[in-house]
Amino acid sequence: MASNYQAPRGTFDVLPEEARGRARVEHAAAAIFARAGYERIATPAFEDTELFERGVGRSTDIVRKEMFTFEDKAGRSITLRPEGTAPICRAYLQHGMHKLAQPVKLCYAGPFFRHERPQAGRYRQFHQIGVEAIGTDSPLADAEAIMLLHDLIAELGVPGVELRLGSLGSPGPRRAYLEDLKAHLRAREDELSKDVRERIDLNPLRAFDADDEGTQAVMAGAPTIVERLADEDAEHFADVRSLLEATGIAYTIDPTLVRGLDYYTRTIFSFVCDELGAQSEIGGGGRYDGLIEQLGGSPTPAVGWAAGIERILLALGEVEEAAGRDAFLAVVDESQRQRAMTLAAELRHAGISTEVDLGGRGLKGQLKHADRIGARRVLILEADGGAQLRDMRSGEQRPIEAGRLIDEIGEAGS
Ligand code: HAM
């Protein structure tokens, strides 16, 4: 059987065998966030386009070419959210969260949309989990954010992950640095890729991210921001590093680290996995002390990160086994179907996972089905009201008293 339709390019269906792995990632993340006091927030899947233009930045690839933007029926420009930080800052302002105890620590999970060229680990609809701590400039918050993603990666057992750390400093000192960087790029303009050349003024930092050899050769000798940090920024960065060291989190300083969003200030970080191909970043983020102000609020420092669930699953490279069922109720006689349903409800209420035959199969077919769905016990309900309990692993079968059904299956299931 085939349909004439397929999931759109760059999107995918999450089938039950894949959903199990996802659930494990989401549950592990939710538990880690809850233990550190991060509370769940959910924002809409679409926002006014201008939020991303202002928040993420007009010079970024995301805003320039990757947004799913359309007009609604009233002619307003709407965009499917490409990321979650700008929407959460919008919600922080809209709901007056600055009046709450600061920092406001939030976590989220959900779908995001970017019109990128699809490849392994890069999709047009993907799913992120993430955290944001809004209302503090303490290096403790940077370290805590990093620690949460580090813990999640460790708990899930994602192999081959490395933490890269950098700092972009504050906007003032960064402007002076950017002028030097632009001068460096202009001096060797003819060796740069067209894309980088066109963006010398708009976004010179992105040149560090270029994958063409010409640009890379120019960047090898470029001044880096980490060596030019202003005193306060350097101190903040040193504090973050010593907090990570104190908690035993290994990292490497990457002076060429850049990120695809314009809002970052000071700390930036990236968790990369050598098991993944070109799209090697599992998750990353940083501080964004100017974003809330950029969106119309008063200056409010903040830090956070997001990780791609698909990238985590790719790096884990495993399919989660189905849990199986504690019990399957088979009937040998039509008269017992109602009894099977009532009993199934009782067993389920007692916490025992139970299925009944919904397919009207004969006993042989029901046993085969029970085996396929991984049922550990089958209870065969006989026409006279009696029952047999069959252990699917040993094949052993014995009569069982009606009054003891729940107790016995409960014991068998545990
Ligand atoms: P981002 O680096 O754009 O940051 O995305 C975070 C993560 O989302 C990436 O590391 C990657 O795992 C995943 N991801 C991004 N694009 C795709 C894609 N097309 N397909 C599959 N996975 C993808 C942000 O979005 C920031 N909002 C993070 C942040 C939060 N910074 C501060 N707070």
Side-chain angles (χ1 to χ4, degrees):
M1 270 194 289
S3 156
N4 292 334
Y5 305 102
Q6 300 222 324
R9 194 166 133 74
T11 70
F12 49 85
D13 300 305
V14 178
L15 303 178
E17 59 264 34
E18 287 129 23
R20 290 192 287 268
R22 276 169 188 273
R24 185 167 88 90
V25 173
E26 283 170 5
H27 287 151
I32 287 172
F33 299 159
R35 286 198 297 264
Y38 287 71
E39 294 211 76
R40 186 73 184 239
I41 185 167
T43 62
F46 58 85
E47 299 268 356
D48 289 341
T49 302
E50 200 184 327
L51 174 69
F52 300 114
E53 288 175 345
R54 282 195 76 77
V56 173
R58 289 190 170 85
S59 70
T60 60
D61 280 349
I62 295 180
V63 170
R64 284 168 78 226
K65 44 191 184 196
E66 293 170 1
M67 298 208 298
F68 283 94
T69 297
F70 54 95
E71 273 190 8
D72 71 6
K73 290 200 163 83
R76 281 179 294 253
S77 182
I78 295 291
T79 291
L80 295 183
R81 59 180 186 181
E83 65 100 46
T85 309
I88 287 174
C89 289
R90 194 256 317 128
Y92 176 92
L93 288 170
Q94 182 177 337
H95 303 288
M97 288 194 236
H98 61 280
K99 294 188 213 116
L100 305 176
Q102 303 292 301
V104 176
K105 302 200 295 185
L106 302 166
C107 63
Y108 57 97
F112 294 86
F113 308 85
R114 295 184 194 175
H115 197 281
E116 296 197 76
R117 197 165 40 80
Q119 65 179 83
R122 188 163 74 191
Y123 312 100
R124 290 183 174 170
Q125 175 174 344
F126 56 97
H127 298 80
Q128 286 185 344
I129 42 181
V131 299
E132 315 289 354
I134 305 177
T136 174
D137 64 1
S138 168
L140 287 162
D142 306 47
E144 179 170 275
I146 292 173
M147 207 183 293
L148 295 177
L149 184 48
H150 173 270
D151 283 359
L152 177 64
I153 287 168
E155 183 168 324
L156 293 171
V158 185
V161 179
E162 193 196 315
L163 166 60
R164 295 192 187 147
L165 198 62
S167 175
L168 294 174
S170 309
R174 185 161 66 199
R175 266 192 291 277
Y177 161 77
L178 289 178
E179 286 313 313
D180 290 351
L181 180 61
K182 285 182 203 167
H184 176 84
L185 292 172
R186 277 207 200 90
R188 296 174 66 179
E189 203 167 332
D190 47 347
E191 294 170 61
L192 303 173
S193 73
K194 185 169 168 282
D195 199 43
V196 171
R197 213 178 318 130
E198 282 173 2
R199 277 198 285 170
I200 293 184
D201 280 320
L202 209 55
N203 195 351
L205 280 175
R206 292 299 290 182
F208 282 112
D209 228 10
D211 41 24
D212 67 288
E213 278 181 23
T215 307
Q216 283 176 351
V218 175
M219 298 320 284
T224 66
I225 195 154
V226 169
E227 61 202 23
R228 305 272 186 103
L229 292 177
D231 289 351
E232 276 194 6
D233 295 332
E235 209 175 295
H236 191 276
F237 192 39
D239 284 349
V240 174
R241 287 183 341 241
S242 60
L243 285 163
L244 293 180
E245 279 151 31
T247 37
I249 296 180
Y251 63 86
T252 52
I253 300 282
D254 182 351
T256 67
L257 189 62
V258 285
R259 303 198 54 75
L261 305 104
D262 271 358
Y263 48 62
Y264 291 115
T265 53
R266 294 190 160 179
T267 316
I268 49 171
F269 55 90
S270 173
F271 283 84
V272 291
C273 171
D274 59 19
E275 313 265 314
L276 295 175
Q279 304 305 313
S280 62
E281 186 182 278
I282 297 256
R287 190 159 267 296
Y288 50 94
D289 292 345
L291 179 55
I292 299 251
E293 199 180 354
Q294 181 82 12
L295 299 178
S298 13
T300 310
V303 61
W305 54 261
I309 296 186
E310 289 77 23
R311 301 240 179 121
I312 293 176
L313 293 171
L314 272 178
L316 285 171
E318 61 194 38
V319 176
E320 199 95 344
E321 285 297 310
R325 312 288 178 274
D326 297 326
F328 181 86
L329 303 189
V331 294
V332 283
D333 190 275
E334 277 304 310
S335 66
Q336 298 304 302
R337 290 211 179 273
Q338 195 178 336
R339 181 178 163 217
M341 218 57 223
T342 328
L343 197 52
E346 266 180 67
L347 288 165
R348 290 168 185 166
H349 294 159
I352 299 162
S353 64
T354 307
E355 287 199 50
V356 291
D357 177 48
L358 300 175
R361 299 174 176 87
L363 181 61
K364 211 168 139 206
Q366 292 179 68
L367 289 176
K368 204 166 148 196
H369 183 70
D371 190 45
R372 285 184 71 176
I373 62 168
R376 285 175 279 280
R377 293 284 193 283
V378 175
L379 187 70
I380 304 165
L381 303 179
E382 295 164 327
D384 58 2
Q388 302 268 333
L389 185 61
R390 185 183 177 94
D391 181 317
M392 293 298 278
R393 265 167 292 201
S394 65
E396 178 206 333
Q397 188 170 315
R398 63 187 163 83
I400 172 173
E401 257 178 64
R404 290 208 22 89
L405 281 178
I406 299 233
D407 285 348
E408 289 237 11
I409 295 194
E411 281 158 26
S414 59

